[in-house]
Amino acid sequence: MHLYDLTIHEARALLDAGEISAVELTQAVIDRILAVDNDVRAYLTLTPEVALEQARAADAMVGAGLAPVPSAPAQGQPQGWPLRGIPIAVKDIICTAGIPTTCGSRILEDFVPPYDATVVARLKAAGAVILGKTNTDEFAMGSSTENSAFFPTHNPWDLERVPGGSSGGSAAAVAAGECLGALGTDTGGSVRQPAALCGIVGLKPTYGRVSRYGLIAFASSLDQVGVLTRDVTDAAILLGVIAGHDPLDSTSLDVPVPDYTAALTGDIRGMRVGVPREYFIPGMQPEVEAAVRAALEKLADLGAEIVEVSLPHTDYALPVYYLIAPAEASANLARYDGVRYGLRIVGESLEDTYKQTRGRGFGPEVKRRIMLGTYALSAGYYDAYYLKAQKVRTLIKGDFDRAFEQVDVIVAPTSPTTAFRIGEKTEDPLQMYLSDIFTLSVNLAGICGINVPCGFDAQGLPIGLQMMGPALGEMTILRVAYAYEQATDWHTRRPPI
Ligand code: GLN
């Protein structure tokens, strides 16, 4: 077993026992990055000096017998340095003070934030070592990282294939041993879908559970920071660090953060697991359906009761998402005007400066979304598209409210297929959008979801199982995910790279 292959909780135990140092662990992960990242290309920015400095500080805490406090632990955060010396990666759409934050876009290529996002401040306050910034589709718009303005990331299970997206850099880094855990963001599936395609765990918390302060906005009513890890225990640990109220984000919930690791009992006897009949569609890869059905049997073996449920407005999730998300994006991205920050290409007039800057700074998918969103919000179309979409969003949320009266969790596939080939879907945006057909509803409803590995297809590519819970139901989905994980060994497999 290599140090870079350890889970967070395994590394925690070795660090606490003094069997390894944070510097040794961090150096092992940096060496691993140097060995494989030319092929995987998970990172946009690497900060090895910063990481080693943080690792030395983490080791010094032990020597001094007292942990120096880099900043006060955030409210609701577990005490006791849960991430002391643990190397973590951060998606490049989350602000890091003094370290470039590009959103995978030319328009922010040279942007260096003057402050840390709250989630980054919390990682640091928990003692984490920050390795760098991971690749993403431009402004998190995409499902493969191919929309990154810089380069696509490759799936560690098959380098010819995508890692999923938009948090594909974070997912690939976790799968390839290039960090022990990572932060991503999920607006319509961008944590769960890449986790599925890379064979790891990815958790999207309830809207408002985690602060969005310092997360560069894509679609503000949907965006949420999530965690990508090698197992469910690590997801519980990392979520516990980043969750909690933040006065700097008015949408963050002022609700105490439970000890998520207390959900890891392995006991799901008597729990009710819903299977939505709308989530098994023609056209999905048969091996995905078979693996998900087998996982449901496993849950039944563990004592859960499997119940069929209906989410009748599921068909509308894709069109509703592709009205609301672009509408919000078109408003959020208006700030990149070449005047305040980011790229500036000076034109002949102010208007020309806007045109040149935005014309060259944004890639084709971002422009497509801005046009779609502006159209949906314009006078005469607002009622027909945007307002209508908001009403249907309420119906989708109602579907989940009714289902959760009957069941504790809802289990479905995460993605209709395993990892597709690089270039396979870039010419057809609609095909790409369909990749998130099973994940979008969770964001529209504001609830939580987790991906856990549940098998491999004939080509050796990972298959993902999605568990959805009600608002603030993180304890419930973690409990079911952990019980399933402990009864299977999919999470122990590592890619051949
Ligand atoms: N793939 C979806 C999109 O392109 C979701 C992206 C995300 O969750 N950030 O919008």
Side-chain angles (χ1 to χ4, degrees):
M1 180 73 135
H2 302 284
L3 290 185
Y4 60 73
D5 266 335
L6 294 171
T7 61
I8 293 172
H9 58 96
E10 287 164 351
R12 168 87 283 118
L14 293 174
L15 285 162
D16 286 350
E19 284 175 37
I20 58 171
S21 72
V23 169
E24 263 175 84
L25 176 62
T26 302
Q27 190 61 54
V29 177
I30 292 171
D31 291 346
R32 173 71 174 168
I33 295 170
L34 296 177
V36 301
D37 207 52
N38 274 338
D39 294 326
V40 178
R41 310 217 71 188
Y43 283 91
L44 286 174
T45 302
L46 265 180
T47 53
E49 317 76 27
V50 178
L52 285 167
E53 186 57 48
Q54 289 167 340
R56 278 191 288 274
D59 285 334
M61 289 175 189
V62 181
L66 186 76
V69 179
S71 65
Q75 186 202 338
Q77 184 178 288
Q79 305 292 312
W81 308 94
L83 299 178
R84 186 184 63 78
I86 303 290
I88 301 285
V90 177
K91 183 180 183 180
D92 206 26
I93 195 168
I94 298 173
C95 286
T96 40
I99 295 167
T101 301
T102 68
C103 294
S105 182
R106 293 276 171 215
I107 214 154
L108 288 178
E109 192 167 3
D110 299 316
F111 176 59
V112 179
Y115 69 99
D116 276 328
T118 296
V119 288
V120 172
R122 287 189 179 198
L123 287 182
K124 289 183 178 171
V129 167
I130 299 183
L131 292 162
K133 307 296 292 290
T134 53
N135 200 13
T136 167
D137 287 293
E138 188 172 2
F139 286 99
M141 297 174 188
S143 311
S144 67
T145 75
E146 291 164 294
N147 295 336
S148 165
F150 304 109
F151 45 78
T153 296
H154 299 249
N155 191 312
W157 291 92
D158 177 349
L159 295 171
E160 308 280 292
R161 292 176 187 267
V162 304
S166 62
S167 312
S170 287
V174 171
E178 298 183 65
C179 61
L180 268 59
L183 299 187
T185 62
D186 192 314
T187 304
S190 281
V191 163
R192 289 159 290 154
Q193 185 261 15
L197 271 45
C198 288
I200 59 166
V201 174
L203 187 148
K204 184 212 98 78
T206 304
Y207 186 77
R209 178 70 292 186
V210 175
S211 168
R212 292 183 299 116
Y213 178 74
L215 161 61
I216 297 176
F218 161 12
S220 308
S221 77
L222 300 159
D223 295 342
Q224 187 66 192
V225 179
V227 298
L228 297 112
T229 56
R230 299 209 181 103
D231 69 10
V232 176
T233 304
D234 284 2
I237 294 169
L238 208 45
L239 177 63
V241 169
I242 63 167
H245 180 242
D246 178 9
L248 297 173
D249 174 4
S250 61
T251 66
S252 84
L253 294 165
D254 196 356
V255 177
V257 178
D259 172 6
Y260 290 114
T261 60
L264 313 178
T265 60
D267 182 6
I268 56 165
R269 280 171 299 170
M271 286 185 82
R272 292 172 68 88
V273 172
V275 186
R277 68 173 74 103
E278 294 82 2
Y279 278 61
F280 294 88
I281 51 170
M284 75 193 261
Q285 194 176 323
E287 292 155 301
V288 172
E289 172 157 5
V292 172
R293 299 251 182 234
L296 286 164
E297 276 172 34
K298 181 62 90 183
L299 293 173
D301 291 346
L302 292 168
E305 188 186 341
I306 311 294
V307 183
E308 191 178 66
V309 293
S310 177
L311 301 168
H313 298 93
T314 296
D315 274 357
Y316 301 108
L318 193 81
V320 165
Y321 175 87
Y322 278 99
L323 287 165
I324 293 176
E328 294 182 10
S330 72
N332 275 326
L333 271 56
R335 73 191 62 169
Y336 306 104
D337 55 7
V339 176
R340 283 169 291 185
Y341 42 73
L343 180 73
R344 174 186 305 179
I345 298 170
V346 180
E348 280 156 19
S349 61
L350 181 62
E351 197 183 315
D352 192 41
T353 297
Y354 292 159
K355 275 192 194 159
Q356 301 267 2
T357 302
R358 290 170 67 86
R360 286 205 238 157
F362 290 137
E365 183 60 29
V366 174
K367 288 178 184 161
R368 184 177 297 123
R369 307 273 179 122
I370 291 173
M371 284 189 280
L372 280 171
T374 307
Y375 185 82
L377 289 175
S378 46
Y381 299 105
Y382 181 95
D383 288 10
Y385 295 112
Y386 183 72
L387 189 65
K388 182 80 145 275
Q390 291 290 16
K391 289 178 179 170
V392 181
R393 178 179 189 173
T394 305
L395 296 175
I396 290 170
K397 182 180 176 299
D399 285 355
F400 282 100
D401 290 345
R402 270 182 298 282
F404 286 123
E405 284 167 10
Q406 300 171 51
V407 296
D408 300 300
V409 286
I410 295 174
V411 172
T414 302
S415 163
T417 67
T418 55
F420 44 93
R421 282 183 202 288
I422 292 177
E424 192 178 319
K425 299 190 183 186
T426 41
E427 298 307 312
D428 186 348
L430 199 59
Q431 278 306 313
M432 191 70 89
Y433 297 172
L434 282 167
S435 197
D436 295 295
I437 187 139
F438 298 142
T439 48
L440 301 167
S441 296
V442 162
N443 303 74
L444 290 168
I447 60 177
C448 60
I450 189 170
N451 173 77
V452 285
C454 73
F456 289 84
D457 70 5
Q459 274 144 114
L461 300 168
I463 301 173
L465 180 72
Q466 183 179 201
M467 298 173 178
M468 302 173 250
L472 296 176
E474 283 81 2
M475 289 292 274
T476 311
I477 57 173
L478 284 164
R479 183 169 156 198
V480 180
Y482 181 77
Y484 175 75
E485 177 188 85
Q486 293 307 299
T488 56
D489 66 0
W490 310 116
H491 66 289
T492 61
R493 309 230 190 142
R494 297 286 183 263
I497 187 162

